[in-house]
Amino acid sequence: QSVLTQPPSASGTPGQRVTISCSGSSSNIGSSYVCWYQQLPGTAPKLLIYRNNQRPSGVPDRFSGSKSGTSASLAISGLRSEDEADYYCAAWDDSLSGWVFGGGTKLTVV
Amino acid sequence: EVKLVESGGGLVQPGRSLRLSCAASGFTFDDYAMHWVRQAPGKGLEWVSGVSWNSGSIAYADSVKGRFTISRDNAKNSLYLQMNSLRAEDTALYYCAKGYSSSSLDDAFDVWGQGTMVTVSS
């Protein structure tokens, strides 16, 4: 059971906007930056969002992150078939003195 | 090109040891914190351990504390994970990941290797 809670699955049609939620507590999301990773099938994870809402160079602005209190969310607009992947949220946990991940959300583009 | 290449994985019996290595290139290795993250087959990501640029800050997940030791050799641009007393539940693909900042372990991982598989079984 993961410390951060994500829905196991999400889906959308091409062009649609989808959001993936991530719920934590005061010791992780509530007091630390949140980041998001995309893992395409058979590949290593890739950083999508860091420090709650910052995009690394090369990540399209279709991807955006936000945080409020002990929850965070990832939004993907203009959904494309190549966005089909697993998405993970993560945050530093002050109580555990380590990183915690969400269980991952499998996004399907139907 | 920024690159991380892991090695050292394999099949090992429960209770035995294994040492993973991660060779870094394309960036100033001793400017950044480094981490190990693992993924059991068909499962999600689990952070294992992290080390700051000068090894002054080191942290471990509770699941490996006391059994695993992270280290780095900045002269060789290399990161290591010494894994002792291995258990079946340590079976996973182990990724090496670069931290976004140098001293802080609590910043995101912006570069990942392709991973090395560790299988613990008799």
Side-chain angles (χ1 to χ4, degrees), chain B residues 82-103:
Chain B
Q82 178 66 43
M83 304 186 295
N84 299 333
S85 303
L86 282 161
R87 306 167 180 167
E89 53 265 36
D90 296 319
T91 294
L93 185 62
Y94 284 73
Y95 292 104
C96 167
K98 170 185 169 290
Y100 192 81
S101 67
S102 60
S103 58

Side-chain angles (χ1 to χ4, degrees), chain A residues 6-10 20 35-48 63 74 76 81-89 101-109, chain B residues 39-45 95 112:
Chain A
Q6 296 180 237
S9 64
I20 297 172
C35 53
W36 290 88
Y37 299 93
Q38 176 193 59
Q39 188 174 34
L40 298 169
T43 69
K46 169 190 170 184
L47 179 64
L48 268 187
F63 295 90
L74 172 71
I76 309 172
S81 58
E82 56 261 40
D83 296 334
E84 274 207 349
D86 292 325
Y87 292 85
Y88 295 90
C89 60
F101 281 90
T105 298
K106 185 174 184 63
L107 175 64
T108 302
V109 180
Chain B
Q39 186 169 33
K43 302 296 184 183
L45 301 172
Y95 292 104
W112 296 64

Side-chain angles (χ1 to χ4, degrees), chain B residues 35-108:
Chain B
H35 299 263
W36 289 99
V37 178
R38 68 185 181 184
Q39 186 169 33
K43 302 296 184 183
L45 301 172
E46 180 189 16
W47 175 80
V48 173
S49 181
V51 58
S52 63
W53 69 279
N54 64 350
S55 303
S57 292
I58 286 177
Y60 298 96
D62 286 345
S63 58
V64 306
K65 204 170 289 182
R67 300 188 298 123
F68 290 11
T69 301
I70 192 171
S71 63
R72 64 189 295 162
D73 186 335
N74 288 342
K76 294 183 178 180
N77 289 347
S78 294
L79 175 72
Y80 306 100
L81 186 67
Q82 178 66 43
M83 304 186 295
N84 299 333
S85 303
L86 282 161
R87 306 167 180 167
E89 53 265 36
D90 296 319
T91 294
L93 185 62
Y94 284 73
Y95 292 104
C96 167
K98 170 185 169 290
Y100 192 81
S101 67
S102 60
S103 58
S104 178
L105 295 181
D106 62 355
D107 216 342

